[in-house]
Amino acid sequence: MATHNTKTLARLMMAPSVLLLLVWMIVPLAMTLWFSFQNYNLLSPANVNFAGFLNYEFFYTDPAFFQSIWNTLVIVCGVLFITVVGGIAIALLLDQPIFGQGIVRILVISPFFVMPPVAALIWKNMIMHPGYGVFADIANLLGQQPIDWFAQYPLFSIVIIVAWQWLPFATLILLTALQSLDGEQKEAAEMDGANFFNRFIYLVLPHLARAVTVVILIQTIFLLGVYAEILVTTNGGPGYASTNLAFLIYRTALLGYDVGGASAGGIIAVVLANIIAIFLMRAVGRNLD
Amino acid sequence: MARAVTTRHKVTATVFAWIVALIIFFPILYTLVTSLKTEPEAIAGFSLIPSGTFENYITVQTRSDYLKPFTNSVILSVGSTILALIIAIPSAWAMAFSPTKRTKDILMWMLSTKMMPAVAVLVPIYLLFRDFGLLDSRIGLTVMLTLINLPIVVWMLYTYFREIPGEILEAARMDGAGLWQEIVYVLTPMAVPGIASTLLLNIILAWNESFWTIRLTTTNAAPLTAFIASFSSPQGLFWAKLSAASTMAIAPILILGWFSQKQLVRGLTFGAVK
């Protein structure tokens, strides 16, 4: 009887968050699905009618669509590569005994707390600006022509900014994992004559596998939806050169007033995110239990 | 001899670590320095020595109504976090102390709602907000931020609560503690650190959320993210003022973040990395 009561109580306690998340997941998604089959433009809200798969066809045949998928992949993979490789290197460095460890950690972790629009503005104006940025100052000092980063390498510039924001996250997690590595094991390997390279490959890297998986999983969730950085710096341009899928949907919905088209894009984004999520969950599942 | 090598090793590591740390921190440092320059100084080429004027901060405060987005950021991040905690604490409690076969599945499902790309539901959310008159309202945005952070709050609390040993409850019961005493004297003190860490981290996440806060607001409810994003057009002669506004937007959360860095790892990895 007592256990029965506890179970009912437990269900009651869980109900609010489960119900809220259920509604939050189903209602907007069902609406997006519904809109994606409608001819619905905000500029002529009176003329809403069934469109069949027309919205999907339009979205799919738009050359911007494939470019935006490609750009999304470039941003996700580029940032993951920089943050994981850089994160391991910096974590190895910070794991050494150093003077002022506390302050160094604080400096390294800081970019993670900078809100995306500010991060983008800082890089756009202070660092990468072709006239007044620090990169331009360096180029002038070396007698080179300053690079107009956002015009010449828009996607690469965004990858750099986003990587700067996420590098601290990767570093901190990898450093935490590194510090849990058994010191005695390292010493034993050293005594047995394993050099730094061997110790790294056979001891450190396998130990870091779980942390790396977690970093990839969590960052991917956020990197698929990079938005503010693009909005503030290139606004998706030039042309569609730095438009990712998230930004393309925003463009279609709120700049093109095309509810149907944007919804079709939204459904495509959900499908893609799920495919990636399934792969990730499988990979992570192997590492997490 | 061995000692000399160790010291040299430490000095070398220190030099490299500081160089890397300063490069990573440089954009923030340079923004802070620029915010203390006059406008002509700010575009006069590279220099780390400002004239030390606070003029920009005063101008930003008085002219561009900085206080309003700042207040909005505080209200939205703190409000949504507290709301999420109120909803999440009972759930996490139940999952941690009377788990069933399905608890793990429910937790994974909650996390999977985070996988839904925000932009996929932009259209319906925007239309719902418009029809209910919630666009540019603090209430609408608070609810929004609560919902998107709820899964993380439940997860974080769950990982903290799970570590409270169940035996301690039994011991208290044996000593004749009633349910109320159990909650007030035994459980609450043990749960407070976990709740505090969750609160801190979630305020940071909500403060920096930059999709819904920008898209669902214009002026009244616009927090700092939207305020700063509105400066995205080239700012000609406003380099120093922009730096001052940026510094003020990130300073409070940067300082909070420094204090929370220990909890950050386990919080953001849902206890998978400690």
Side-chain angles (χ1 to χ4, degrees):
Chain A
M1 190 61 204
T3 42
H4 183 74
N5 271 339
T6 343
K7 264 189 187 156
T8 317
L9 185 67
R11 283 215 186 99
L12 275 177
M13 285 163 85
M14 278 162 59
S17 51
V18 171
L19 287 178
L20 271 174
L21 283 175
L22 205 60
V23 170
W24 160 234
M25 195 174 81
I26 290 173
V27 173
L29 212 53
M31 284 176 75
T32 304
L33 195 61
W34 170 253
F35 287 142
S36 74
F37 292 108
Q38 302 293 313
N39 231 327
Y40 183 3
N41 194 299
L42 285 177
L43 293 180
S44 53
N47 296 323
V48 181
N49 50 49
F50 185 68
F53 281 94
L54 215 60
N55 288 320
Y56 289 92
E57 215 180 298
F58 270 135
F59 210 82
Y60 183 74
T61 49
D62 186 350
F65 172 67
F66 284 104
Q67 183 160 18
S68 74
I69 299 266
W70 172 248
N71 291 345
T72 308
L73 288 176
V74 170
I75 291 175
V76 172
C77 298
V79 173
L80 280 179
F81 179 77
I82 296 174
T83 53
V84 170
V85 174
I88 291 177
I90 298 172
L92 282 173
L93 183 59
L94 296 190
D95 194 34
Q96 313 291 319
I98 53 172
F99 296 107
Q101 183 120 35
I103 300 172
V104 167
R105 270 179 76 124
I106 279 180
L107 294 180
V108 169
I109 187 70
S110 291
F112 186 69
F113 302 116
V114 176
M115 55 176 68
V118 170
L121 271 189
I122 290 178
W123 279 85
K124 184 187 183 185
N125 291 324
M126 306 287 155
I127 311 291
M128 288 173 156
H129 193 280
Y132 309 118
V134 174
F135 284 173
D137 291 335
I138 295 172
N140 286 329
L141 196 73
L142 299 175
Q144 302 284 315
Q145 185 70 27
I147 296 167
D148 189 352
W149 289 91
F150 293 106
Q152 287 171 267
Y153 309 103
L155 198 58
F156 180 67
S157 306
I158 284 164
V159 168
I160 296 284
I161 297 173
V162 179
W164 177 73
Q165 291 178 277
W166 285 96
L167 184 60
F169 174 78
T171 305
L172 195 66
I173 286 177
L174 293 166
L175 180 61
T176 310
L178 215 52
Q179 283 166 345
S180 69
L181 182 60
D182 193 359
E184 277 174 33
Q185 246 183 330
K186 258 193 288 188
E187 261 173 53
E190 227 166 310
M191 300 253 254
D192 288 343
N195 59 19
F196 174 80
F197 184 73
N198 278 333
R199 267 180 287 153
F200 180 71
I201 295 289
Y202 295 109
L203 190 62
V204 177
L205 220 46
H207 179 75
L208 286 183
R210 179 189 169 97
V212 169
T213 326
V214 170
V215 166
I216 290 174
L217 173 70
I218 292 169
Q219 284 197 24
T220 306
I221 295 177
F222 287 94
L223 294 179
L224 281 172
V226 166
Y227 172 77
E229 292 85 345
I230 299 174
L231 178 75
V232 170
T233 55
T234 63
N235 212 357
Y240 286 93
S242 58
T243 297
N244 66 356
L245 189 55
F247 207 79
L248 181 66
I249 296 169
Y250 150 75
R251 267 186 163 182
T252 316
L254 296 188
L255 300 181
Y257 302 104
D258 182 3
V259 169
S263 299
I267 294 299
I268 294 173
V270 171
V271 171
L272 282 180
N274 274 301
I275 293 173
I276 294 172
I278 289 169
F279 275 110
L280 276 175
M281 286 292 198
R282 272 200 191 157
V284 173
R286 234 175 273 146
N287 260 319
L288 282 189
D289 283 308
Chain B
M1 184 61 203
R3 180 148 182 89
V5 173
T6 332
T7 315
R8 210 173 66 194
H9 180 93
K10 190 168 177 179
V11 169
T12 319
T14 303
V15 170
F16 276 107
W18 275 89
I19 290 173
V20 168
L22 286 174
I23 289 173
I24 291 177
F25 190 71
F26 178 78
I28 299 173
L29 178 75
Y30 199 56
T31 306
L32 178 67
V33 169
T34 305
S35 75
L36 299 172
K37 291 176 179 174
T38 60
E39 291 295 352
E41 267 183 307
I43 53 169
F46 183 75
S47 155
L48 277 176
I49 302 143
S51 58
T53 172
F54 281 98
E55 187 191 322
N56 302 308
Y57 287 91
I58 296 163
T59 315
V60 170
Q61 291 276 19
T62 51
R63 245 200 289 170
S64 64
D65 203 7
Y66 170 84
L67 225 55
K68 195 167 157 188
F70 180 83
T71 320
N72 281 335
S73 271
V74 173
I75 293 174
L76 291 173
S77 56
V78 175
S80 68
T81 302
I82 290 176
L83 202 58
L85 279 176
I86 293 172
I87 301 166
I89 286 175
S91 313
W93 197 269
M95 289 184 199
F97 291 116
S98 28
T100 61
K101 307 191 280 289
R102 274 175 300 167
T103 302
K104 263 263 137 65
D105 296 335
I106 293 175
L107 277 167
M108 286 314 277
W109 166 73
M110 283 186 168
L111 196 57
S112 76
T113 63
K114 284 295 288 181
M115 297 256 180
M116 182 168 68
V119 76
V121 291
L122 170 65
V123 170
I125 296 291
Y126 188 85
L127 294 177
L128 283 174
F129 267 56
R130 188 196 62 183
D131 294 346
F132 286 100
L134 288 170
L135 281 178
D136 205 19
S137 77
R138 287 176 194 158
I139 296 174
L141 209 53
T142 305
V143 170
M144 198 66 208
L145 290 174
T146 304
L147 285 171
I148 57 174
N149 285 329
L150 189 58
I152 295 183
V153 176
V154 173
W155 256 98
M156 282 185 67
L157 288 173
Y158 170 74
T159 65
Y160 283 111
F161 288 168
R162 208 177 35 174
E163 282 175 13
I164 298 176
E167 297 88 48
I168 207 157
L169 289 184
E170 279 169 39
R173 243 169 265 167
M174 299 268 247
D175 288 343
L179 182 66
W180 182 243
Q181 284 167 315
E182 206 178 285
I183 290 174
V184 173
Y185 295 110
V186 185
L187 287 177
T188 310
M190 297 189 77
V192 162
I195 295 175
S197 312
T198 312
L199 180 90
L200 208 59
L201 253 176
N202 214 63
I203 287 176
I204 295 173
L205 287 181
W207 183 280
N208 288 342
E209 201 286 326
S210 303
F211 181 73
W212 297 111
T213 52
I214 293 175
R215 285 280 60 96
L216 297 178
T217 61
T218 44
T219 48
N220 280 329
L224 287 166
T225 45
F227 173 73
I228 295 288
S230 69
F231 282 115
S232 63
S233 47
Q235 285 297 309
L237 279 168
F238 296 104
W239 248 245
K241 283 181 200 70
L242 190 62
S243 302
S246 299
T247 306
M248 286 195 284
I250 61 175
I253 231 60
L254 203 57
I255 293 163
L256 264 191
W258 290 342
F259 285 112
S260 74
Q261 56 157 327
K262 285 255 157 58
Q263 290 85 34
L264 189 75
V265 174
R266 77 173 269 177
L268 284 175
T269 59
F270 310 108
V273 177
K274 277 181 213 164

